[in-house]
Amino acid sequence: MEIFQRILISVFFLSFGTISLAQGLLIDSLNQQAYQRYRENVEEAKMLAYRALSLAEDGGLENRMVDSYINLGRCFRLTNQWGFCYQVLEQAIKISREAKYDTGLVNATNNLGACYLMQKIRFRKLLHGFAKALRHQRKQENQKGQANALNNLFLSLRNNNKTMILRSKFLNRATLVYEIGTVGSCQCLF
C-alpha cells in the first residue's frame, strides 16, 4: 500500500474515533519511510523513526515500538553511534521477548549482530545471535530470512582461518537456500 494511501486511511479512521487502528497504520507508514530512507538521508530516517516510536509508546503498541527501535538502530549503525545503536537494539530485543514478537526479536538480533560484525567484537555472541536467527527463520519456513541469516553467518566466518569447516557448512546451506529461490539475499556469497 502506498504511503500516501496509508496516511489518508489513518486520517479517515482518526476522524471516526478509531484511534488505535489509525495510529497503527500511521506508525507503520512512518517506520516504512524510515526504513526506505535510512541509507539516503539518515537524519530524516531518524526523525521518522523517533516519531513512530513516540506514537507507538503513546498507544502501547509494543510490536511497532520494536520496529521503531530497529529503525533507529540501523540509523545509529550507519553513523557509527555504537552506544546508541546497542542501546536501542537491546531495548528492541527486550520488548520483543516480553511481547513474544518473534519477528522483531530476529530482526533486532540480526541488526545487533551486524553491529558486532562491523566492529569486529563479541564474536561468540555474534555467531550465537545469527544462529538463533537462522533457527527461527527455519521454524517460520522463511526462505529469505534463512538466506539472510546464513549470509550473516558466512560473512562473520569468512575472515577467520580457524573456522574453515564452519564456513564450508554455511556456504553449502546458503547455496541450497539460494537454489530454492532466494537469489537476492545470497548474492554476496558468490
Side-chain angles (χ1 to χ4, degrees):
M1 182 180 291
E2 294 293 320
I3 293 168
F4 183 69
Q5 289 174 326
R6 284 183 187 223
I7 293 171
L8 283 177
I9 292 170
S10 297
V11 170
F12 173 77
F13 282 119
L14 280 172
S15 66
F16 287 102
T18 317
I19 293 176
S20 65
L21 178 60
Q23 198 170 19
L25 289 171
L26 182 58
I27 294 165
D28 289 344
S29 176
L30 291 168
N31 273 324
Q32 183 181 20
Q33 289 176 59
Y35 177 74
Q36 290 171 344
R37 295 183 181 154
Y38 84 97
R39 291 181 196 260
E40 299 164 4
N41 187 340
V42 72
E43 292 305 317
E44 182 181 353
K46 248 193 265 188
M47 181 191 67
L48 291 165
Y50 272 124
R51 180 71 179 127
L53 178 60
S54 175
L55 289 170
E57 286 175 339
D58 290 348
L61 304 169
E62 293 171 325
N63 292 3
R64 288 173 172 107
M65 287 169 53
V66 168
D67 295 337
S68 301
Y69 278 124
I70 292 169
N71 277 326
L72 286 169
R74 287 183 183 112
C75 293
F76 291 133
R77 185 181 72 221
L78 202 63
T79 57
N80 298 325
Q81 294 176 299
W82 302 110
F84 290 124
C85 184
Y86 293 130
Q87 185 180 7
V88 297
L89 291 174
E90 286 168 2
Q91 184 67 17
I93 289 169
K94 178 183 173 201
I95 295 170
S96 294
R97 283 187 179 133
E98 291 170 358
K100 298 185 184 342
Y101 179 38
D102 291 337
T103 302
L105 181 61
V106 169
N107 287 335
T109 303
N110 261 332
N111 277 282
L112 190 59
C115 293
Y116 294 153
L117 180 61
M118 288 178 74
Q119 288 197 288
K120 299 179 181 168
I121 59 171
R122 300 180 186 176
F123 189 70
R124 234 174 246 249
K125 195 169 185 177
L126 163 85
L127 291 179
H128 175 72
F130 287 149
K132 189 174 182 179
L134 177 60
R135 283 191 301 274
H136 175 74
Q137 297 297 355
R138 281 193 183 139
K139 189 172 149 183
Q140 299 295 319
E141 297 181 5
N142 180 350
Q143 292 177 353
K144 184 176 180 180
Q146 288 178 53
N148 283 332
L150 288 166
N151 185 33
N152 288 337
L153 279 165
F154 179 79
L155 290 173
S156 303
L157 298 169
R158 75 176 172 183
N159 294 325
N160 188 333
N161 292 334
K162 296 177 184 176
T163 58
M164 186 59 98
I165 293 170
L166 286 173
R167 281 200 315 249
S168 174
K169 178 181 172 182
F170 290 123
L171 181 58
N172 289 338
R173 287 188 184 166
T175 303
L176 175 65
V177 173
Y178 177 82
E179 288 172 354
I180 56 176
T182 310
V183 176
S185 299
C186 292
Q187 283 180 338
C188 64
L189 294 176
F190 305 100

